[in-house]
Amino acid sequence: MTQSQHEAIAAPSMVVERQRRAKQRRTMFYLALIAIGLVAPFLAYPVFLMKILCFALFACAFNLLLGYAGLLSFGHAAFLASGGYVTGYLLASYPGLTPEVGIIAGTFSATLLGILFGVLSIRRQGIYFAMVTLALAQLMFFVYIQAPFTGGEDGLHGVPRGELLGFIDLSNNIAMYYFVFVIFLFGFALIQRAVHSPFGQVLKAIRENEPRAVSLGYNVDAYKLLAFVLSAAIAGLAGSTKTVVFQLASLTDAHWHMSGEVILMTLLGGVGTLLGPVMGASLVISLQHILAQSPLGNWVSVILGLIFVVCVLSFRSGIVGELGKMYRKNFK
């Protein structure tokens, strides 16, 4: 047997070995991040960390739609607010209700709203899809202003955190942090599983070349609708959790500015990467927190806009995307 024949036989096994090692490295990296998350509340203010986790989950939900299905939604704030308002109203109106039930109810309401939005908008493409989602979200914004159960411009205040499973007191910030951390890990794992499943591969095919996916026999609209609903559900989960953490639900979460902010987080961290939205949300929330306490507090939006422009021009793939390129170039 010639040397070339030996190499041809050995090539598949070498590919499998490289994939196995890459999977091991990813597993170790994720375990390291989880370990950091477990000790984080003893090193930083837990409420600040919970805010980052809630917005990171929201950005991950948005990234599922934009980064993997290629659909730019300007109306994701509606799902964040819907989950928050429903959870806040139920927990405030029914004191005996446990927080996990309220969060599940809020997530379910955002899922139903996602189905409605998806059916109305999913057949549109490009800027038309974005404008339809923005219009629908603005309709919901005015509903939240007028609806009596939302508190209007004052919002819902004094939402009780309650007791998880009836015996874990969530008024303790450390206990609340670990509850939020588990919710974030659940949402992130769900997205990670969806992205690496056959469903996720079809979404990527639709993003890259939709006519080709249609020619292969895939029901493109059904796949996009499912991605839209899943994204809406996880965004609602983030909103419900945020309401319990801060014990309030306000119109800020329903405003179109919030939809723009999650786009900023996702693009800054890296569209189409799993950790990009987490990085982007962490940076944006941290900058807002630092700048709000400085003399530049009135210039937060301007400074974030400048940072966004610089990153888009300098890091076309986002921070995590560019770091991934550097790693593949130098270490593979």
Side-chain angles (χ1 to χ4, degrees):
M1 186 178 293
T2 64
Q3 182 178 356
S4 60
Q5 289 175 325
H6 279 293
E7 292 176 351
I9 294 173
S13 61
M14 292 174 62
V15 171
V16 171
E17 180 64 20
R18 283 199 296 269
Q19 291 176 342
R20 186 184 66 82
R21 290 180 179 178
K23 185 177 180 179
Q24 285 181 341
R25 287 194 294 268
R26 284 196 301 270
T27 302
M28 294 300 295
F29 181 69
Y30 284 135
L31 289 176
L33 291 180
I34 292 173
I36 293 172
L38 290 174
V39 301
F42 302 102
L43 305 175
Y45 186 44
V47 175
F48 172 69
L49 295 175
M50 286 187 278
K51 183 177 182 180
I52 289 178
L53 289 175
C54 291
F55 279 102
L57 184 59
F58 182 36
C60 287
F62 176 79
N63 182 57
L64 175 64
L65 196 62
L66 177 61
Y68 295 98
L71 297 172
L72 175 60
S73 168
F74 276 128
H76 254 51
F79 309 125
L80 183 77
S82 296
Y85 273 123
V86 171
T87 297
Y89 174 75
L90 290 176
L91 293 179
S93 302
Y94 303 96
L97 205 65
T98 55
E100 67 272 14
V101 174
I103 289 175
I104 290 171
T107 304
F108 182 69
S109 68
T111 304
L112 294 179
L113 188 64
I115 294 173
L116 177 61
F117 275 30
V119 170
L120 294 174
S121 63
I122 210 69
R123 295 183 183 277
R124 305 294 180 265
Q125 296 181 352
I127 191 64
Y128 302 104
F129 173 82
M131 290 299 100
V132 170
T133 55
L134 175 61
L136 292 172
Q138 286 301 101
L139 285 174
M140 293 304 302
F141 176 79
F142 288 111
V143 168
Y144 295 138
I145 290 179
Q146 300 296 329
F149 77 94
T150 64
E153 294 183 355
D154 295 328
L156 282 172
H157 296 272
V159 177
R161 287 185 177 179
E163 294 183 342
L164 178 64
L165 302 176
F167 65 92
I168 301 176
D169 186 9
L170 294 183
S171 61
N172 183 307
N173 282 334
I174 298 296
M176 186 72 223
Y177 169 82
Y178 285 117
F179 178 46
V180 174
F181 188 55
V182 169
I183 290 175
F184 170 78
L185 290 179
F186 168 77
F188 185 85
L190 181 61
I191 293 172
Q192 196 266 354
R193 183 68 188 92
V195 166
H196 290 99
S197 68
F199 166 72
Q201 301 307 311
V202 174
L203 286 183
K204 294 175 186 177
I206 294 171
R207 178 195 63 192
E208 297 299 328
N209 195 324
E210 185 171 330
R212 181 178 294 177
V214 173
S215 69
L216 291 173
Y218 292 109
N219 187 341
V220 169
D221 288 339
Y223 276 93
K224 291 196 292 187
L225 178 60
L226 182 56
F228 191 95
V229 173
L230 180 59
S231 178
I234 298 174
L237 176 62
S240 299
T241 307
K242 179 175 174 290
T243 293
V244 176
V245 170
F246 293 99
Q247 299 181 270
L248 64 89
S250 68
L251 284 174
T252 303
D253 292 343
H255 201 276
W256 67 268
H257 285 170
M258 184 59 70
S259 294
E261 196 167 296
V262 75
I263 295 174
L264 169 62
M265 293 174 182
T266 306
L267 292 178
L268 186 61
V271 177
T273 62
L274 286 172
L275 290 176
V278 180
M279 173 67 76
S282 301
L283 286 175
V284 171
I285 299 301
S286 298
L287 283 171
Q288 288 176 341
H289 179 72
I290 294 170
L291 292 173
Q293 298 177 343
S294 72
L296 299 174
N298 294 328
W299 294 81
V300 173
S301 298
V302 176
I303 294 172
L304 286 176
L306 290 174
I307 292 173
F308 174 66
V309 170
V310 171
C311 287
V312 168
L313 293 177
S314 304
F315 310 104
R316 299 296 297 274
S317 302
I319 296 173
V320 172
E322 291 296 331
L323 290 175
K325 287 181 180 179
M326 291 174 58
Y327 174 79
R328 289 189 293 270
K329 181 179 179 181
N330 297 305
F331 299 101
K332 281 193 174 184

